Each structure stands twice: as C-alpha cells, then as structure tokens.
C-alpha cells in the first residue's frame, strides 16, 4: 500500500512528541546523600548534574552550599528536615516559619525547590511520639509556606519505606499495615488536600536478597523471565519494580486515595558488598539501574498506572563512605568522587549510547496460565503492544498505538542515533 502524506505527517508528529517527552526526562531524579568525608564540591556536583539527563535532586537535609550551587540550573530540588526537627516543627509554628525563612526564602526561585520532605521513614521508626508528631509538623511547614505565598509552588510530604505495607503480594492486594490506622489516614488526607506525593522507597534489591533465586534476580533486574501472575487480575508482572509500585497504588486505592501521586523517593542497587552479601555486583547494579532508566524513558508505566512514568529518584549520586552497616551500604553511588561514572547507564547527555546490561522487557501481556510457587501478581495493559511484524504501511497506520512509537523511539535511543538527529 502507498503511504498517504497525512499518515506520514501524523506518524512523524507523534514520534517527535514522544521524543520530546522522553528527552525532558523530568521523571528521573537522584539522591544526594552526604554521609561522607570525600565528596566533590557543590559547584562541581552541579556541573556534573548539568551534564546528565537527571532533572531532580533529593537532599536529606538543606545544605545551603548545595542549594546555592544548584541555582539557575533548572534542576528540581527536594529538601529534607531531620527526624530530630519534627517535635519542634510540630509544637512551634514559629520554628517551622524560621526553617522556611532560613532554608527556602534566601534561595527560591533561583534554586528550583519543589518539595520538602518532613522526616525520613518515620512511620517505621518505632518511635510513637515521633509518629504522632509527624502530621502536625507537616501541617506547620505547609502553613509556613502558605504564609510566604509558596504553598502552591513547593509541596510538603514525608518518605516511607515499603515496610508501611502489610501486604504487597499480589500487587492488587497491596494494603497498609493496619497498626498505623488513623495516622496513615491523616497523612494521606494531607497529601490529597495539598496535592503532594506519597513518597516511597521500593528496593527490588532487598526483595532479591530475601529470595536469592536466579528467577528472582531476573525479575528484579528487568531481564527475561517467566513473569509473575496476580491471581486476582490474571495479569502478569514482568519486573519487581512495577509490582512494588503497583502494590503501593493498590494500598492507596484501598483507603480511597488512588488519586494521590506516587513518588519513588529511593531505589537502587549496590555495585559491591561484603563477601557474605548476596546480589551486589557491577553487572547487577548496571542491569537494574540501566534497565530501570530505559523502562522509565519508555513511558509505558506500570500495569495499574499505564502511560506515564512515576517520578523516580535513583539511589545514589555518590557512595557515602561514612555510612555504617555492611559494605553494600557504602556502594550505591553511580558516580565516583572524581566525577567519573562507576558504570554507564546512559545518563550522560554527551553519551552516544544507552548501555543497559539487558534490554527492557516489552509491556507484559495478560496471563493465560498460573505460574506455580509465585505470590506476586501483575496486571498488564494489553493495549500497549510494541510488536510490528509487517513492512507494509497502510492507512490503518493512523491508529497505531503511541506506545509503538515509544518503543521505536527507545530502540533508536538505545542505538545512540536520536541525539544526532534531534539535538
């Protein structure tokens, strides 16, 4: 069949739009921890970040040197208040106002502060006093932003570990631990009322560490695997990241908050560890982070949230050599302190290749059989087919899925061609 001109135009425009969206990559962020004594200067780090496709940086504190160094870069900045500040923020509105006056107002808007996380993993701290004061602290920080006319510009939230879920398998049965009860409901009501994200730390690495089978490793690394079926939805998941994120979505939905945005505040894989640790290696870290980035760039989304990529902050920018614990805790960095890559996952804007260790899996299709010894589930969006088996293009091309175009863009991107064409 002859390709009609308007069909060609449609395909080209759709393709260019897809490339534009993927190129912005506003959904890719990184964690910038500072539990180290050998980190590069903030100005050097700002230049490094500008040489990458990373669009957002999460700080665990509010180091003014870093905030200032990121001024006029356009990079989104997430600030964090310490857990130890929560009692003061909760009990004294003036303390919250002082925190904003000190850590936000001198830098904004030149420094693109987008979110303040009040505390980190407070709900699983076993400190009931801290847990009870978390919501009042968030409310006072929000009120201080409102008083500074920044309430609609800078969001407020807190960060949770996956441990806040009582059940995560299968993903469709995801639910919060009922012991958090009204505390979690109050936090979700805050997120919903203020349009702030529910921030969570999913780590397929820890899932593999607790179940170190080869098939689990492939599932965690986005590599070819049999998939895991959700017995409720009869749909397969092809990777652990999607399964964990969708379990969070299901938990939010079960409490009536499915419209609250999910943000992945941390996820990563260590490239080395102690001799007795299972999983850390350069190969595994490169496969996980590289394939995760490719998955995010594809814009396929997750089975329960198709067609978009969740904001995801990789862990981490640098190793933190002063962190306690096993060796893996000090080996999550994507960049060395001399500003070179530990391994290449295609983040550099000057790179001409996209080198994930294994190609990302195509969107999973609805399952027809149950996989034995499998407690994880998946729902897949069957309208996101990426297959194309014909060299003939007809007028039916008008109805090609945008997901096919995403797949085409990704293939070109992985071959290192598209930057030459569109930059």
């Amino acid at each position: 069949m002859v390709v009609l001109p308007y069909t060609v135009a449609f395909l080209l425009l759709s393709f260019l739009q897809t490339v534009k969206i993927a190129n912005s990559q506003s959904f890719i962020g990184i964690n910038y921890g500072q539990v180290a004594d050998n980190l590069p200067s903030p100005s050097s780090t700002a230049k490094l970040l500008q040489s990458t496709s990373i669009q957002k940086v999460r700080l665990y504190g509010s180091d003014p040197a870093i905030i200032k160094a990121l001024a006029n870069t356009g990079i989104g900045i997430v600030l964090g208040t310490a857990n130890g500040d929560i009692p003061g923020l909760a009990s004294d509105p003036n303390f919250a106002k002082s925190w904003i006056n000190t850590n936000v107002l001198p830098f904004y808007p030149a420094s693109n502060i987008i979110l303040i996380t009040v505390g980190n993993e407070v709900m699983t701290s076993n400190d009931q006093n801290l847990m009870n004061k978390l919501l009042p602290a968030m409310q006072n920080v929000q009120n201080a932003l409102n008083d500074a006319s920044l309430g609609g510009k800078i969001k407020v939230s807190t960060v949770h570990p996956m441990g806040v879920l009582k059940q995560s398998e299968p993903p469709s049965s995801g639910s919060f631990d009922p012991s958090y009860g009204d505390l979690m409901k109050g936090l979700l009501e805050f997120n919903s009322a203020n349009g702030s994200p529910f921030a969570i730390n999913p780590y397929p690495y820890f899932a593999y560490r607790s179940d170190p089978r080869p098939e689990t490793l492939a599932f965690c690394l986005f590599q070819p695997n049999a998939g895991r079926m959700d017995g409720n939805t009869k749909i397969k998941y092809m990777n652990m990241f999607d399964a964990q994120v969708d379990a969070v979505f299901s938990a939010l939905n079960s409490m009536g908050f499915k419209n609250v945005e999910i943000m992945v505040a941390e996820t990563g894989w260590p490239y080395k560890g102690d001799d007795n640790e299972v999983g850390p290696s350069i190969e595994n870290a490169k496969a996980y982070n590289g394939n995760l980035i490719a998955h995010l760039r594809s814009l396929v989304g997750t089975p329960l949230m198709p067609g978009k990529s969740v904001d995801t902050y990789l862990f981490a920018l640098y190793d933190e050599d002063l962190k306690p614990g096993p060796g893996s805790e000090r080996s999550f960095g994507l960049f060395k302190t001399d500003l070179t890559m530990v391994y290449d996952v295609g983040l550099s804007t000057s790179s001409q290749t996209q080198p994930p260790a294994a190609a990302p899996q195509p969107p999973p299709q609805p399952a027809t059989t149950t996989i034995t010894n499998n407690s994880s589930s998946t729902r897949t969006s069957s309208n996101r087919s990426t297959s194309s088996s014909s060299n003939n293009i007809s007028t039916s091309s008008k109805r090609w899925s945008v997901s096919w175009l995403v797949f085409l863009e990704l293939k070109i991107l992985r071959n290192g061609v598209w930057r030459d064409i569109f930059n």
Side-chain angles (χ1 to χ4, degrees):
M1 299 288 290
V2 177
V3 180
L4 298 179
Y6 67 85
T7 303
V8 174
F10 168 82
L11 292 173
L12 182 58
L13 289 173
S14 298
F15 176 69
L16 289 174
Q17 179 64 19
T18 299
V19 169
K20 179 180 178 182
I21 294 171
N23 189 28
S24 68
Q25 297 176 12
S26 60
F27 40 77
I28 298 178
I30 201 161
N31 285 272
Y32 185 175
Q34 295 177 269
V35 186
D37 60 5
N38 61 348
L39 297 178
S41 68
S43 59
S44 296
T45 296
K47 291 178 182 178
L48 170 65
L49 291 169
Q50 287 181 288
S51 73
T52 73
S53 55
I54 295 168
Q55 295 293 308
K56 299 176 181 178
V57 175
R58 178 188 170 211
L59 308 180
Y60 292 83
S62 53
D63 187 327
I66 298 175
I67 301 172
K68 187 174 182 180
L70 292 171
N72 303 311
T73 63
I75 295 172
I77 306 168
V78 178
L79 303 182
T81 75
N83 285 3
D85 286 338
I86 290 175
L89 291 170
S91 62
D92 186 0
N94 288 326
F95 180 59
K97 184 174 293 187
S98 175
W99 197 96
I100 296 299
N101 290 342
T102 300
N103 299 298
V104 175
L105 297 187
F107 310 105
Y108 186 87
S111 296
N112 184 25
I113 300 167
I114 57 175
L115 176 68
I116 298 170
T117 57
V118 178
N120 187 47
E121 301 190 346
V122 173
M123 294 300 287
T124 55
S125 67
N126 295 320
D127 186 331
Q128 194 63 44
N129 181 56
L130 206 62
M131 293 163 63
N132 290 335
K133 292 184 176 180
L134 178 58
L135 179 56
M138 293 167 62
Q139 290 170 330
N140 280 340
V141 171
Q142 182 69 60
N143 291 338
L145 286 171
N146 293 344
D147 291 343
S149 300
L150 295 177
K153 300 174 182 177
I154 300 174
K155 303 298 184 180
V156 177
S157 191
T158 190
V159 178
H160 305 282
M162 286 294 290
V164 296
L165 298 187
K166 178 69 173 180
Q167 183 172 342
S168 60
E169 295 183 357
S172 64
S173 297
S175 60
F176 291 109
D177 190 325
S179 67
Y180 300 129
D182 290 340
L183 289 178
M184 183 60 74
K185 182 180 180 182
L187 294 173
L188 295 176
E189 287 174 342
F190 176 93
N191 290 140
S192 180
N194 293 285
S196 61
F198 180 84
I200 192 79
N201 296 340
Y203 276 93
Y205 163 67
F206 292 117
Y208 170 65
R209 200 172 68 173
S210 64
D211 179 21
R213 295 176 296 159
E215 56 267 36
T216 303
L217 182 61
F219 187 64
C220 289
L221 297 182
F222 299 84
Q223 292 175 335
N225 66 92
R228 298 187 177 185
M229 188 182 71
D230 187 315
N232 299 324
T233 61
K234 308 302 182 187
I235 307 247
K236 280 186 180 179
Y237 280 92
M238 302 307 295
N239 67 81
M240 182 67 79
F241 179 83
D242 283 356
Q244 290 183 329
V245 172
D246 275 358
V248 176
F249 176 83
S250 294
L252 292 171
N253 188 33
S254 70
M255 293 187 67
F257 295 97
K258 69 177 181 180
N259 292 326
V260 170
E261 176 188 354
I262 296 172
M263 174 185 121
V264 173
E266 287 182 24
T267 191
W269 198 288
Y271 64 88
K272 67 178 179 181
D274 297 331
D275 291 342
N276 63 345
E277 291 191 84
V278 177
S281 73
I282 287 280
E283 293 77 17
N284 288 347
K286 182 176 180 178
Y288 177 72
N289 286 310
N291 289 332
L292 171 60
I293 290 167
H295 183 54
L296 295 172
R297 284 172 172 165
S298 76
L299 303 180
V300 170
T302 71
L304 297 185
M305 294 181 291
K308 64 177 182 178
S309 289
V310 173
D311 281 2
T312 300
Y313 291 74
L314 305 172
F315 189 85
L317 183 57
Y318 303 118
D319 289 344
E320 296 176 83
D321 66 329
L322 299 183
K323 269 195 167 183
S328 60
E329 283 294 314
R330 296 177 290 282
S331 306
F332 277 86
L334 294 177
F335 292 89
K336 301 176 184 178
T337 53
D338 66 2
L339 306 179
T340 61
M341 292 178 286
V342 178
Y343 50 88
D344 188 359
V345 291
L347 287 173
S348 174
T349 54
S350 62
S351 172
Q352 293 300 302
T353 60
Q354 299 294 329
Q361 298 303 297
Q365 301 301 312
T368 57
T369 58
T370 301
I371 300 174
T372 59
N373 298 322
N374 192 344
S375 58
S376 178
S377 69
T378 76
R379 183 193 117 146
T380 306
S381 180
S382 59
N383 67 343
R384 300 194 168 276
S385 172
T386 59
S387 64
S388 175
S389 59
S390 173
N391 292 324
N392 296 321
I393 303 175
S394 69
T395 55
S396 63
S397 298
K398 292 181 292 181
R399 297 187 295 273
W400 283 4
S401 158
V402 172
S403 295
W404 187 93
L405 295 170
V406 170
F407 173 72
L408 179 60
E409 179 274 331
L410 182 59
K411 295 291 287 184
I412 294 175
L413 180 148
R414 285 177 55 80
N415 289 330
V417 175
W418 81 287
R419 284 196 178 93
D420 293 334
I421 298 174
F422 297 105
N423 275 358

